[in-house]
Amino acid sequence: MAPIGRRERSHLSRGRKEIDARLDLHGMTQTRAHRALFGFLQRAHHDGLTFVLVITGKGKLGSESERGVLRRQVPHWLGLPEFRSLVVGFEEAGIGHGGEGALYVRVRRSRL
């Protein structure tokens, strides 16, 4: 899994590169979020999208252990074998797209 290059990340955050689709996981349970993320990335891959934005939210204020479960889990999930065929890499989003509460994800091209 490779991070998105600095230039590409800055183009995305400045709006010079298009975000092809967005998924907002705010308020979902881990099970629902995992399913939604997988389905979303499968469709993005199938449709030939390049960059998508996944919004995890920053997590409710509370003790560090229970705060931002999705924010911690999503990067872990993206590294799992079932996601590797769909994702090239990801990077924390720019402030205008949610900053630490969102991720730019580069979708793997589908081989025809």
Side-chain angles (χ1 to χ4, degrees):
M1 189 77 47
I4 291 170
R6 248 192 15 234
R7 176 182 286 147
E8 282 176 324
R9 186 185 178 283
S10 97
H11 282 202
L12 285 164
S13 63
R14 292 197 184 114
R16 285 201 197 129
K17 242 192 188 66
E18 202 59 37
I19 289 172
D20 301 315
R22 316 166 176 253
L23 173 67
D24 192 341
L25 300 173
H26 265 114
M28 290 187 189
T29 61
Q30 285 189 64
T31 306
R32 207 171 135 226
H34 186 280
R35 232 188 336 254
L37 180 63
F38 190 63
F40 172 73
L41 290 172
Q42 281 181 312
R43 285 188 302 281
H45 176 70
H46 180 267
D47 296 345
L49 306 183
T50 307
F51 286 107
V52 297
L53 183 69
V54 176
I55 302 159
T56 60
K58 293 182 179 135
K60 291 207 168 56
L61 292 173
S63 72
E64 197 53 48
S65 61
E66 61 201 34
R67 194 174 155 231
V69 176
L70 293 179
R71 185 174 143 202
R72 279 199 320 275
Q73 285 298 93
V74 169
H76 169 72
W77 293 341
L78 292 172
L80 295 174
E82 69 260 31
F83 284 96
R84 275 197 215 116
S85 62
L86 304 172
V87 173
V88 177
F90 60 91
E91 191 85 47
E92 186 178 285
I95 296 297
H97 290 125
E100 59 189 32
L103 296 167
Y104 295 132
V105 179
R106 182 185 204 125
V107 181
R108 196 175 292 284
R109 284 209 179 103
S110 51
R111 296 198 170 76
L112 298 173

